[in-house]
């Protein structure tokens, strides 16, 4: 495939948009010429094109995808991003959710200490609960261990998620806790985020809010 270049203000000088590895390979083979597609692009468009091209790598980690999709989400909604990268909207939404992992959990995920579905589940917890998980389940010296893995993730997550069908308060009541509103319209209600879960349950993923409503 041709590399992509953009003209610069200097005559016969071009900016490489993507295709760096192809170009280096051609240079190593001693080729004098290489096919290229010439495009007129702004600096912002170049960065966006490079971001999308990088996502086409076969070895890209879901956490890397999460960072890239988050940058794209500043400009596009999940449906538009999905169209641009050739993925399903659920794929994009799940990756964006991973950005809500606290820093150490992101590091653990990049080290393959747990699987994607576990990472998404942990990302539904608030930062305080994620740090509680780290304290309870993660070894302090995990970085020195080879092939470190964490067990019991879903047991912990399910313990923190609250079953809304069993709640003793009215889920449609927006006045019980005005700052949060009604559970039926809340983004922390798993039933309202079907793209995140293969089998969405009627659960609250924000335990602190559930507890306040319970007390009231």
């Amino acid at each position: 495939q041709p590399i992509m270049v953009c003209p610069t203000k200097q005559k016969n000088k071009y900016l490489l948009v993507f295709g760096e590895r192809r170009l280096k390979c051609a240079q190593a083979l001693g080729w004098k010429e290489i096919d290229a597609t010439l495009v007129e692009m702004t600096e912002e468009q170049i960065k966006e094109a490079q971001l999308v091209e990088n996502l086409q790598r076969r070895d890209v980690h879901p956490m890397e995808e999460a960072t890239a999709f988050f940058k794209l989400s500043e400009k596009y909604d999940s449906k538009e991003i999905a169209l641009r990268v050739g993925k399903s909207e659920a794929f994009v939404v799940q990756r964006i959710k991973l950005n809500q992992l606290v820093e150490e959990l992101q590091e653990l995920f990049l080290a393959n200490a747990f699987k994607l579905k576990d990472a998404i589940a942990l990302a539904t917890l608030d930062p305080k609960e994620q740090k509680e998980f780290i304290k309870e389940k993660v070894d302090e010296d995990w970085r020195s261990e080879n092939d470190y893995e964490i067990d019991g993730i879903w047991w912990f997550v399910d313990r923190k998620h609250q079953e809304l069908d069993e709640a003793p308060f009215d889920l449609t009541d927006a006045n019980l806790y005005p700052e949060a509103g009604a559970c039926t319209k809340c983004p922390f209600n798993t039933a309202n985020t079907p793209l995140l879960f293969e089998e969405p349950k009627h659960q609250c993923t924000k335990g602190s809010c559930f507890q306040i409503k319970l007390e009231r």
Side-chain angles (χ1 to χ4, degrees):
Q1 292 181 334
I3 62 172
M4 182 176 287
V5 296
C6 182
T8 66
K9 293 181 180 179
Q10 293 179 275
K11 187 178 181 180
N12 296 325
K13 294 288 184 180
Y14 302 91
L15 177 67
L16 182 66
V17 179
F18 54 71
E20 182 180 5
R21 284 180 289 184
R22 277 168 276 170
L23 180 59
K24 286 183 176 179
C25 181
Q27 290 171 333
L29 291 169
W31 293 3
K32 299 298 183 182
E33 294 181 352
I34 185 172
D35 289 339
T37 300
L38 182 64
V39 293
E40 294 277 357
M41 303 175 78
T42 64
E43 185 176 347
E44 184 179 355
Q45 289 172 328
I46 290 173
K47 288 180 179 179
E48 185 179 313
Q50 290 173 333
L51 198 62
V52 173
E53 170 70 7
N54 191 50
L55 289 169
Q56 308 307 316
R57 293 189 353 248
R58 293 183 181 181
D59 59 344
V60 63
H61 190 279
M63 199 65 238
E64 295 178 88
E65 292 175 324
T67 303
F69 288 152
F70 181 76
K71 290 179 181 177
L72 290 173
S73 70
E74 295 174 352
K75 186 176 179 180
Y76 307 107
D77 62 22
S78 56
K79 287 183 179 180
E80 180 65 24
I81 295 172
L83 287 172
R84 286 176 176 271
V85 299
K87 302 289 185 180
S88 69
E89 187 180 2
F91 183 97
V92 173
V93 169
Q94 289 171 4
R95 295 306 189 274
I96 291 176
K97 186 68 177 179
L98 294 175
N99 289 285
Q100 294 186 21
L101 289 171
V102 297
E103 186 175 346
E104 188 170 352
L105 286 183
Q106 290 190 25
E107 187 181 354
L108 280 158
F109 185 38
L110 282 165
N112 299 314
F114 44 83
K115 297 179 180 178
L116 174 61
K117 64 178 182 179
D118 301 323
I120 295 170
L122 287 169
T124 65
L125 303 177
D126 64 38
K128 182 180 179 180
E129 291 172 332
Q130 291 184 40
K131 290 176 182 178
E132 183 183 333
F133 170 83
I134 293 170
K135 186 176 181 180
E136 186 176 317
K137 292 289 185 180
V138 180
D139 296 339
E140 290 185 4
D141 60 347
W142 69 267
R143 293 177 182 84
S144 63
E145 298 183 34
N146 293 324
D147 302 321
Y148 181 74
E149 293 184 4
I150 305 174
D151 296 320
I153 292 176
W154 279 93
W155 176 83
F156 183 93
V157 172
D158 283 340
R159 201 177 74 193
K160 294 300 179 181
H161 286 184
Q162 304 292 332
E163 295 291 342
L164 288 170
D165 290 334
E166 300 173 6
F169 50 81
D170 182 1
L171 302 181
T172 65
D173 187 355
N175 298 316
L176 181 60
Y177 185 19
E179 295 91 329
C183 294
T184 49
K185 297 182 179 180
C186 180
F188 295 102
N189 179 347
T190 57
N192 293 331
T193 54
L195 294 178
L196 273 181
F197 306 96
E198 291 181 4
E199 298 179 3
K201 299 178 181 179
H202 204 202
Q203 292 181 325
C204 171
T205 62
K206 193 170 184 179
S208 58
C209 176
F210 185 92
Q211 188 61 36
I212 290 173
K213 290 189 175 186
L214 194 63
E215 291 170 357
R216 291 186 179 184

